[in-house]
Amino acid sequence: MGAALRLARAAGKCGEVPVGAVVVAEGRIIGRGGNRPIGACDPTAHAEMTALRRAARRARNYRLNGATLYVTLEPCLMCLGAMVHARIARLVYGARDAKIGATAWLGRGRAGRLNHRFAVLGGLRADECAALLRAQQLQRDLAIQLRIEGGVHDAHRARAQPPHDDGAADLRADRQDIESVPTRLRVIRLSCREKG
């Protein structure tokens, strides 16, 4: 959870909601992610999704059997769906999300029909995780208040704009992943990307 907290702090410094996630398999971190929906202009760029994508690339398999995902905030339904598809073994989260946290859904009616279930543990370092979220919210509220008092009434301009993200970091990570794959497999991967 310590690594996820560091990623959450980094995301918060970029103007994102401070959420971080790591995927651990066989005692090693195989995927990391910080929240980036604002900077990436991508509503699916949650910390969990980024960590799962990177873990799958590193494992060279979209199934992450036996893996544990650690995240600082209770996941939303989209992220839980991705975890089901990835076949993780366990989810460990820090702070509870009363608005869109969806882990309670896993124990209800139709969730029992899912083709994969995993263990869920909530509340690990919850106070520390929640403190990050509260601190960022206080900073945003203060910035908005200062702008209103200064004559600027547009709350959207009060939000810190993260640096422009053209996806270059992801492309560099992809290229490193591709270069580590044997040449025969690399050709197959590149042809799949060109079609999709």
Side-chain angles (χ1 to χ4, degrees), residues 165-178:
D165 179 8
D166 60 0
D170 282 342
L171 291 175
R172 283 192 297 275
D174 287 348
R175 183 160 306 283
Q176 287 174 349
D177 287 345
I178 289 170

Side-chain angles (χ1 to χ4, degrees), residues 22-26 28-32 48-69 82-91 116-118:
V22 294
V23 177
V24 176
E26 298 175 1
R28 292 183 6 244
I29 294 175
I30 61 168
R32 302 170 192 264
E48 302 94 309
M49 300 293 281
T50 303
L52 287 168
R53 284 180 187 126
R54 290 179 177 165
R57 263 190 247 138
R58 186 161 187 189
R60 294 189 184 108
N61 192 341
Y62 73 109
R63 300 284 196 223
L64 300 171
N65 297 318
T68 299
L69 189 142
M83 291 175 214
V84 168
H85 288 290
R87 305 289 197 268
I88 66 164
R90 185 169 64 147
L91 163 66
H116 176 73
R117 293 186 202 114
F118 49 87

Side-chain angles (χ1 to χ4, degrees), residues 111-175:
R113 297 182 195 171
L114 291 173
N115 59 343
H116 176 73
R117 293 186 202 114
F118 49 87
V120 177
L121 172 67
L124 181 65
R125 296 175 74 172
D127 293 338
E128 203 174 342
C129 295
L132 270 176
L133 293 159
R134 280 192 302 272
Q136 191 217 29
Q137 188 60 47
L138 285 172
Q139 284 180 333
R140 283 187 177 180
D141 292 348
L142 179 60
I144 290 169
Q145 186 63 34
L146 289 173
R147 295 210 193 273
I148 289 172
E149 289 174 3
V152 178
H153 298 286
D154 184 13
H156 295 289
R157 286 197 281 168
R159 291 187 179 169
Q161 293 297 315
H164 177 68
D165 179 8
D166 60 0
D170 282 342
L171 291 175
R172 283 192 297 275
D174 287 348
R175 183 160 306 283

